[in-house]
Structure formats: structure tokens, C-alpha cells
Amino acid sequence: MPAAEFRRTPTARERRGDLILAAVMFVGAILSSALSSISQIYGDEQAELWTALVYAFVATAPLAFRRRWPGIVAIVVALAYFTAVTVRVPEIYVGNIAMFIGLYTVGAWMADRRRALMVRVGIIIGMFTWLLITMYRDAISEADKADVVAGAMSPYVAFMLIQILLNLLYFGGAYYFGERSWIEASQRAVLEQRTADLEREREVTAAQAVALDRVRIARELHDVVAHHVSVMGVQAGAARLVIDQDPAESRRILAGIEGSARDAIYELRQLLETLRTPGGETADAASTLALDDIAELTHASTEAGLPTDYAVIGEPVPVPSLVAVNLYRIAQESLTNARRHAGVGATADVRVRYDDDGVEVEIVNTGRAVAHLRPGLGQLGMRERAAASGGTLEVTPRPLGGLRVRARVPLPATAVRQPVQPGSPR
């Protein structure tokens, strides 16, 4: 919040506090006036007692509105104090406190900082001008007295210097504490505004996290269901064709459909357990898929009617589980798309390459020529998975028909230098 836009608005409780303060100060001013009148603080020059009652009201009643109109209250109280001291009203102590509160409130509550400065400086200059005039007048009066002490420092001069010092501390304190109160209030308002902004950002971030989680769920469901339903569809078609001629083969194919259904149910249950567990994690690992499972994926693709070759090139190295899952899903989606769109007689080739910089999975299939790629959820999901792993994805049509999908993910240098030992997890 810019300082120019900051404003302090008194609450109902603060206004009630100001009323109580004004009442207490009024009572204190009456008591101070009575005691000052009895003690004859101004001697023979003291004004009538009724003037002290009027002064007590004028000096304290405005304090009830000090936070709403700080500048006006400070000026009224200061003028009342100057007048009272000039005409020798028998009350000086509560008036001093009231003027201090007025000056402090201008610094602490006046929104227009330029006017706040002008009001305070004006009152301070007026006070010291009045003090110098009074000192000059009293000095002439003292000089006429026969008992003036000669020397560099007379008692009167010492007394006047004490008055100047006290006024400096008095007005300086009122100015300083009022200014500090305003600065602290503005800083507190900035912190509160930032806290509110952070809370709103937290809510937006939470909403975005929910949206991203929904995208992740949709992507997982798309991958799981599309793959297994595609396999079951192809197997069901093959079983229908051979059910009359070769019942044994038909039963074997139907058994494969049953296995695909079990796999789909298992993966859906695993996804459901992930969503049910707080924090999105199950008691087991988030996923048991590894790059080695791509071999089983290609075997299932071959059984589903798309002959698929599989090869590993290079020395295998440890791969983070997230990278392994994402590359597995990319290969799964690519083979599913090939079975759907490549046509009769198509084949596929899957290569997992390890090199000095990372790991790469390439899926190439033959089949129908593709003039241009049509964006869809499958391609979008593959690109998101590659990006989530810090890698890149290329999907390009082949001149002789089919597609080439290449996903590459860089790996940490420590992982690249450490080959996988036989039997170690990837």
C-alpha cells in the first residue's frame, strides 16, 4: 500500500476511548484549577477561578474528537493554552498534557502528511515565539529589580534556559512519538495488505493445484482406459473371427481379454488409492512402473495385433520413478495410437536409448501416411509428461507412412555415471 494512499480510520472502540479521555482530562483540569488557585501560582496576577473552568472545558472537550479532526483539535487546544497562560488562568498542568496529546495525534492520525507537518511546525513556532516574547518582557521587568544577581548566569537566565530545554523536549517528544506511530501504523497496514495478498495467492495456487490434479487424473484415466480398452477391442475382434474355426484359440484370446481387464482394474484401483491418500501418496511407491516394463508393453502390443520390436541401446542407468512412469505412458499412448490409426499390416519398433546425457524412448510405427498431425488429448498428455520430467517430445510423420515419437529426458550426471547393477531397481 503506497504511503500516499494510507489512511487511519478510528474504530468505535477508539472513539469511545477518546470520549473517556476527554472526560478524565476535564475532571483533572477542574481539580488542577482548584489546587492551583489555592496555591496562588500566579500571585496577584492570577485570573478569576471561573476562567479556569471555561479553560478546562475548551482545552479538554476537543480531545473527544482528536482522531477524527486531529488538526483542528490541536490548533484549538494550543490557542486555548496560549491564551490561558497569557491571562494567568490558574491551570497549566492538564493544559500542557492536552496540548501534548493534540500534537501527538496530528502526527499519528492526520492523513494529509503535508498539513500535519504544517500544523505541528506552526504550533511549535508559535509556542517559541510566544516564549521569547514572554522571556524578553520578564527580563526587562527583572532588570529593574535591585536584587538582580550580577554575573554571567543570573537565576532568571538559568530559569529561562530550563524553560527552553523543557519545551524542546516537550515538543520534540510529541513530534517524534506521533511520527513513529504513523510510520508503524502504515507499516502494519502494508504487512496486513501483503498478508491478504498472500492469502489470495494461496487460494489461487490451491485452485490451480486442484485444476492440475484434475488434468493429471484425466491424463492417467485416458492412458489406462485407452490402452486396455484398445487391447480388449482388438482381442475381442480376433476371438469373434476364430470362435467357430478354432475354439481353443478363441478361449486363449478371451483369457487375454480377461488379463487386460484385470490390469485395467488394478491400475484404476492404484490411481484411486493415490487420490484417497492424503498428500496424494500411497503407503507403497507412487508407481511400480519402470522402463523395463516397456518390454511387457511391446509384448502386449504384439498380442493385440500390432507386431512390435523392442530393444535397449546403451548401458542402462538408474532413472527417477517419475521419469520412468512418464516415458512408459508415452510409449503406451504411442502404441495405442498406432493400433487405432496405422491400419492393417502396420508394425512398430520401440527403442530405449541411454547415452552420456540422458535417456530417450523412440516409438516408430509403419502404416497409413499422415499428412499433418491433428492435436488431441493423447499428444497433449505426452507433451505434458515429457515437460513434467524436464524433457522434450517430438512427434513427426514419416515419409513412407506412420509416425515417429521421440521423448528425451536429461538425467543428473551422477545417474548417468552409475550403471544399473543386475537385479537393482530402476
Side-chain angles (χ1 to χ4, degrees):
M1 180 185 297
E5 298 179 3
F6 173 65
R7 300 181 67 88
R8 298 185 73 178
T9 303
T11 63
R13 181 179 180 181
E14 289 171 335
R15 292 179 180 179
R16 288 194 299 269
D18 291 342
L19 287 173
I20 296 173
L21 173 66
V24 171
M25 293 287 290
F26 178 69
V27 174
I30 292 177
L31 295 175
S32 176
S33 299
L35 296 175
S36 297
S37 177
I38 295 172
S39 65
Q40 294 290 314
I41 59 173
Y42 287 122
D44 296 337
E45 298 178 355
Q46 182 171 288
E48 298 292 333
L49 183 59
W50 67 267
T51 59
L53 298 177
V54 175
Y55 169 63
F57 178 80
V58 175
T60 60
L63 295 179
F65 311 98
R66 67 186 186 96
R67 299 180 203 261
R68 280 180 275 185
W69 304 300
I72 296 175
V73 170
I75 292 173
V76 170
V77 173
L79 290 175
Y81 179 80
F82 292 159
T83 303
V85 175
T86 302
V87 301
R88 301 294 194 266
V89 173
E91 204 297 304
I92 57 175
Y93 302 108
V94 175
N96 264 306
I97 298 173
M99 190 164 63
F100 185 94
I101 294 174
L103 283 173
Y104 165 82
T105 306
V106 170
W109 284 86
M110 199 166 183
D112 190 332
R113 303 311 294 170
R114 182 179 179 184
R115 290 186 180 180
L117 176 64
M118 292 173 61
V119 169
R120 289 177 291 174
V121 171
I123 292 175
I124 292 173
I125 292 176
M127 181 63 187
F128 276 96
T129 301
W130 173 86
L131 183 61
L132 291 174
I133 293 173
T134 302
M135 289 174 61
Y136 178 76
R137 184 189 62 188
D138 293 343
I140 294 176
S141 176
E142 291 291 330
D144 294 336
K145 296 181 180 179
D147 58 350
V148 174
V149 178
M153 183 68 69
S154 67
Y156 176 75
V157 173
F159 176 76
M160 288 296 103
L161 290 177
I162 291 175
Q163 294 299 311
I164 293 175
L165 177 61
L166 289 177
N167 278 278
L168 286 173
L169 295 175
Y170 174 89
F171 287 104
Y175 192 101
Y176 172 79
F177 289 115
E179 197 70 18
R180 286 304 308 168
S181 177
W182 174 269
I183 293 173
E184 291 173 0
S186 63
Q187 291 175 344
R188 185 166 56 251
V190 170
L191 290 176
E192 290 173 354
Q193 181 64 37
R194 289 179 179 175
T195 301
D197 293 341
L198 288 174
E199 182 64 22
R200 284 193 294 270
E201 291 179 5
R202 187 190 67 80
E203 294 175 356
V204 170
T205 302
Q208 291 175 342
V210 171
L212 291 174
D213 198 44
R214 288 177 178 175
V215 171
R216 180 179 65 84
I217 294 170
R219 187 169 58 221
E220 291 289 343
L221 288 175
H222 174 268
D223 292 344
V224 171
V225 175
H227 168 68
H228 291 291
V229 171
S230 174
V231 171
M232 288 187 289
V234 173
Q235 290 174 332
R240 181 175 58 83
L241 291 176
V242 302
I243 191 169
D244 294 330
Q245 292 85 4
D246 193 346
E249 179 65 16
S250 177
R251 285 193 296 271
R252 189 188 67 80
I253 295 175
L254 291 176
I257 295 176
E258 182 181 359
S260 297
R262 282 196 303 268
D263 292 341
I265 293 173
Y266 170 77
E267 294 195 30
L268 288 173
R269 184 180 294 114
Q270 186 181 38
L271 178 60
L272 180 60
E273 289 296 327
T274 301
L275 297 176
R276 284 177 174 173
T277 304
E281 297 181 359
T282 60
D284 300 326
S287 176
T288 58
L289 295 175
L291 287 183
D292 289 344
D293 294 318
I294 295 179
E296 298 180 7
L297 189 65
T298 58
H299 178 70
S301 176
T302 300
E303 290 187 347
L306 179 68
T308 305
D309 293 331
Y310 172 74
V312 176
I313 302 172
E315 186 69 24
V317 297
V319 175
S321 60
L322 176 63
V323 174
V325 170
N326 285 333
L327 291 178
Y328 176 91
R329 295 300 188 191
I330 290 172
Q332 184 183 53
E333 177 67 21
S334 300
L335 293 176
T336 299
N337 290 337
R339 285 194 299 271
R340 287 179 177 175
H341 308 296
V344 179
T347 61
D349 187 61
V350 178
R351 296 287 183 269
V352 179
R353 295 187 181 91
Y354 297 91
D355 55 33
D356 294 337
D357 299 319
V359 61
E360 178 180 288
V361 174
E362 183 182 52
I363 305 95
V364 178
N365 67 274
T366 62
R368 297 192 183 100
V370 179
H372 60 277
L373 294 174
R374 293 180 298 177
L377 289 178
Q379 290 186 39
L380 177 61
M382 289 191 294
R383 293 189 186 280
E384 288 178 350
R385 288 187 181 279
S389 300
T392 57
L393 180 80
E394 298 177 8
V395 182
T396 55
R398 300 177 68 238
L400 299 179
L403 286 175
R404 172 180 285 105
V405 178
R406 180 186 291 115
R408 179 172 183 80
V409 177
L411 296 177
T414 55
V416 174
R417 296 191 194 102
Q418 297 176 3
V420 175
Q421 300 300 325
S424 63
R426 293 193 176 97

